[in-house]
Amino acid sequence: MADAVQAPATAEGPTQHTQNQAARLNPYQLRMLHKAIAPGRVQLKQGLAHVEAWDVRRHLIRIFGFGGYSIETVSLDLVAEREKKDGDRSRWTVVYRAQVRLTLYSTDGSELTHFEDGAAGDAINQPKLGDAHDMAMKTALSQALKRCATNLGDQFGLSLYNNGSKDPVVNFSAAHPPQEWQKQADPRSLSRKIRQCSPSRKLLRPSLSPPASVR
């Protein structure tokens, strides 16, 4: 199971468990995190719903920004390596176990929280030993990352553990009361702010006629 080492800061201010008291999630991040997962992001593999690892990274960037998160491989261990002879050739099955830490940062670079989780990954009946190791390692690391990210809720596949449902299961967090972020992050409110900050539309247009002195 995931180990939430540090509780995330709230929209109205950090909790007593927050390591850096300046860190917090902004209203736009909270708005995105409260949304249900888009159905097009959900994939099926052997009848099981899941989110691809690249898509998890994409949404980490979208919500926390470039450089707004880090992924650390805490451990990566070879569990098994089996060779099966196929005539003059060999087929390889390899299993790895990975432990990964996902750390999230606020826009000022302060740590918000981090999660750790582990997973095993295998590569079965592969013709090349190197490819078998590579595939098994990547699978274990990707699965561990995805398990870490589910602590961020529905945008990262938490609802899929509810029999593959795409309907949100979080809906509300008392630590992040809606009145603190819904209005601030409303796209209509943002549009109004942009209009207020925009320069006047009545801009001076350059004259195409030459000055009177040169006519």
Side-chain angles (χ1 to χ4, degrees):
M1 297 296 291
D3 179 18
V5 180
Q6 178 186 335
T10 65
E12 73 280 8
T15 68
Q16 60 180 344
H17 304 294
T18 305
Q19 186 177 33
N20 189 315
Q21 295 299 302
R24 63 176 62 192
L25 293 167
N26 68 44
Y28 300 100
Q29 290 172 319
L30 289 170
R31 187 179 183 89
M32 293 184 71
L33 288 171
H34 278 81
K35 289 182 178 179
I37 190 169
R41 294 177 55 206
V42 179
Q43 307 295 317
L44 288 177
K45 184 177 182 180
Q46 298 177 347
L48 298 176
H50 73 284
V51 181
E52 297 283 359
W54 69 265
D55 188 56
V56 168
R57 291 174 182 265
R58 174 177 66 165
H59 276 74
L60 284 171
I61 293 172
R62 285 181 170 178
I63 296 174
F64 298 97
F66 296 101
Y69 72 95
S70 64
I71 301 168
E72 178 186 350
T73 301
V74 178
S75 64
L76 183 61
D77 303 309
L78 176 62
V79 177
E81 177 187 290
R82 299 285 185 268
E83 180 183 13
K84 181 181 179 182
K85 286 293 185 180
D86 184 12
D88 295 334
R89 301 180 180 181
S90 295
R91 310 289 290 190
W92 298 93
T93 294
V94 174
V95 181
Y96 273 87
R97 186 194 182 281
Q99 186 79 9
V100 166
R101 178 183 293 121
L102 171 64
T103 303
L104 307 172
Y105 304 97
S106 65
T107 53
D108 66 2
S110 304
E111 181 178 332
L112 285 168
T113 188
H114 59 267
F115 306 104
E116 280 191 26
D117 213 325
D122 60 18
I124 301 174
N125 208 29
Q126 298 298 309
K128 295 182 179 180
L129 180 58
D131 289 344
H133 276 269
D134 184 63
M135 186 182 300
M137 286 190 293
K138 288 191 294 187
T139 301
L141 290 167
S142 294
Q143 293 298 323
L145 169 62
K146 291 195 289 184
R147 288 180 179 177
C148 287
T150 57
N151 289 282
L152 295 168
D154 298 309
Q155 278 296 300
F156 293 89
L158 180 62
S159 67
L160 302 182
Y161 285 84
N162 185 27
N163 296 319
S165 174
K166 303 178 187 66
D167 296 329
V169 294
V170 176
N171 294 312
F172 173 82
S173 171
H176 308 286
Q179 64 269 23
E180 296 291 337
W181 55 267
Q182 279 186 340
K183 185 176 181 180
Q184 296 180 56
D186 189 328
R188 292 170 296 182
S189 175
L190 178 60
S191 297
R192 287 194 295 269
K193 290 180 180 179
I194 292 174
R195 287 196 300 269
Q196 291 170 0
C197 295
S198 299
S200 173
R201 294 181 180 179
K202 297 181 179 180
L203 300 176
L204 294 177
R205 296 182 179 179
S207 175
L208 299 180
S209 301
S213 60
V214 297
R215 289 178 185 172

